[in-house]
Amino acid sequence: PEQLERVGRKPVLRLAGKIVPTMHLAEVVGQQLPPDANLTRLKAVVLHIGDQRLALMVDAVIEAREVVVKNLAPMLGRVHAVTGATIM
């Protein structure tokens, strides 16, 4: 993305005048970054989590959707590893 910059040694995305931290998908899933991970060739998927944003750097975007995730009812809220749901 043209808006990719560096703050110190960390790549960030400038989006609508705001700095959004970036993270490669490999880091999120506990893998090492590919040796040829050129951030300027990757796509950014911007995640909104509350009032925070994160630009998740991926190789390709297959389909774009805007999704709202709702909290689960108290009965289902105790299910391990599930924090919300959406209807698609």
Side-chain angles (χ1 to χ4, degrees):
E2 293 86 29
Q3 307 95 334
L4 195 62
E5 301 176 8
R6 289 202 178 268
V7 172
R9 297 182 66 201
K10 298 247 182 204
V12 297
L13 189 67
R14 184 175 297 275
L15 187 63
K18 295 185 180 179
I19 298 294
V20 179
T22 65
M23 183 174 267
H24 193 283
L25 179 60
E27 296 174 276
V28 174
V29 296
Q31 301 294 314
Q32 289 187 338
L33 285 175
D36 60 346
N38 182 349
L39 290 179
T40 58
R41 293 187 180 185
L42 297 176
K43 306 293 183 207
V45 176
V46 179
L47 307 174
H48 295 254
I49 305 162
D51 61 348
Q52 298 180 348
R53 291 183 181 183
L54 173 68
L56 188 62
M57 305 306 287
V58 298
D59 295 327
V61 176
I62 297 170
E63 182 179 347
R65 288 192 180 190
E66 193 168 318
V67 177
V68 176
V69 177
K70 298 288 187 173
N71 290 333
L72 294 173
M75 185 185 327
L76 296 174
R78 293 183 291 260
V79 176
H80 179 67
V82 177
T83 59
T86 192
I87 298 172
M88 297 187 77

